Amino acid sequence: MPSWFSSTVVDDKTTMLTEPFVHSFVRANLWHLRGRDADLLVDTGMGIRPLAPEIETRDGKPLLVVATHIHLDHVGSLHEFPWRAGPSMSAAHFETMDDAATYANMFHHLEGAVSRLPAPGWKAADYKIPPAPLTRTLNEGDMIDLGDRQFRVLHLPGHSPDSIALFDEADGVFFAGDAIYDAMLIDDLPDSSRVDYRTTMRRLLDLPIRIGHGGHGPSFDARRMREIASGYLQKTEDIQL
Ligand SMILES: [Zn+2]
């Protein structure tokens, strides 16, 4: 049976994984970055098949795993890893992974949930995300240190209230989660806020990135990120502040 995940080498330190057989709506990008003293994994996919065996760790280095927000397609395999960081705002929900926070129930009746069965007899209706209590909670301004590179935590609400992103200010690498990406942005979930999303987009207009790796869609440079952000601001001009 072929792997449930596909993986793409981005550069000598970065690999992108995704789940090609899940519905495109919940097919997220997972980012594995190798650092000097620790490695970083940004988001963990749906948790339909185990992710941990797919992530190569070297020399006993710790793997720091960060969830950018608590939606199903980003936290499904979080419980498989011992070091688990995520937004402090939704920390209580990581202890239960209740459907109201993850929207796992949306997947139960999603037409074409998977294009290939992950296991004999598997049913989307049985899909459940195991609890994954955070071992570190993250707030705006916190730092994630890999030894040779540091990522600053940015709180960028809108898509969800708890959305965070990681920014390496020295190198300009930006892991954006669902705060911004180069595909259809989702701002109409029950816990989305267009007003907050506009504030986030205004902030992103000035963020000096070299490359952005989003939760969905292809990676983007600073010019493309400004285009996406200003496009969103134009489209939602009529939103009352
Ligand atoms: Zn999301």
Side-chain angles (χ1 to χ4, degrees):
M1 182 163 176
S3 172
W4 182 251
F5 297 89
S6 72
S7 93
T8 309
V9 174
V10 178
D11 58 42
D12 58 338
K13 290 190 170 143
T14 318
T15 305
M16 194 268 280
L17 294 99
T18 192
E19 296 170 275
F21 309 116
V22 298
H23 193 290
S24 60
F25 206 66
V26 286
R27 189 186 304 149
N29 297 332
L30 324 178
W31 301 96
H32 180 209
L33 179 71
R34 284 161 288 278
R36 190 191 69 199
D37 303 337
D39 292 350
L40 175 69
L41 177 66
V42 181
D43 288 332
T44 62
M46 292 288 289
I48 290 173
R49 298 279 304 161
L51 172 63
E54 309 277 333
I55 306 295
E56 217 180 295
T57 46
R58 307 148 306 139
D59 319 325
K61 274 186 199 171
L63 177 70
L64 314 184
V65 184
V66 173
T68 59
H69 60 301
I70 199 170
H71 289 162
L72 70 164
D73 46 336
H74 301 261
V75 299
S77 281
L78 188 60
H79 68 99
E80 297 173 31
F81 301 93
W83 198 103
R84 302 180 295 269
S88 65
M89 180 185 275
S90 47
H93 293 298
F94 281 85
E95 292 181 15
T96 58
M97 289 293 187
D98 44 301
D99 283 5
T102 65
Y103 298 128
N105 50 344
M106 273 181 16
F107 189 64
H108 293 161
H109 307 288
L110 183 64
E111 174 115 19
V114 296
S115 59
R116 169 181 296 193
L117 278 186
W122 180 92
K123 284 196 219 68
D126 300 331
Y127 175 71
K128 221 174 149 22
I129 302 177
L134 299 179
T135 59
R136 181 178 174 193
T137 57
L138 300 174
N139 289 294
E140 168 74 32
D142 286 349
M143 299 300 287
I144 305 267
D145 192 354
L146 306 186
D148 55 344
R149 53 200 307 172
Q150 287 77 36
F151 287 88
R152 182 177 294 279
V153 174
L154 309 182
H155 180 217
L156 300 171
H159 168 76
S160 72
D162 66 341
S163 283
I164 57 168
L166 301 178
F167 183 41
D168 177 345
E169 291 159 305
D171 190 32
V173 174
F174 181 49
F175 291 110
D178 286 0
I180 192 165
Y181 51 80
D182 196 354
M184 195 179 67
L185 299 171
I186 308 292
D187 65 358
D188 58 354
L189 295 165
D191 66 347
S192 299
S193 161
R194 293 193 174 110
V195 172
D196 288 350
Y197 223 158
R198 285 177 59 80
T199 306
T200 283
M201 291 304 179
R202 274 195 291 270
R203 186 173 177 194
L204 291 175
L205 285 176
D206 297 323
L207 197 71
I209 69 163
R210 177 173 63 80
I211 183 141
H213 300 307
H216 303 271
S219 297
F220 46 87
D221 60 10
R223 193 190 58 80
R224 179 67 187 139
M225 183 165 81
R226 274 195 300 275
E227 232 168 55
I228 298 165
S230 54
Y232 184 84
L233 288 166
Q234 266 161 34
K235 199 186 81 177
T236 56
E237 239 163 19
D238 55 324
I239 303 282
Q240 293 297 312
L241 289 184

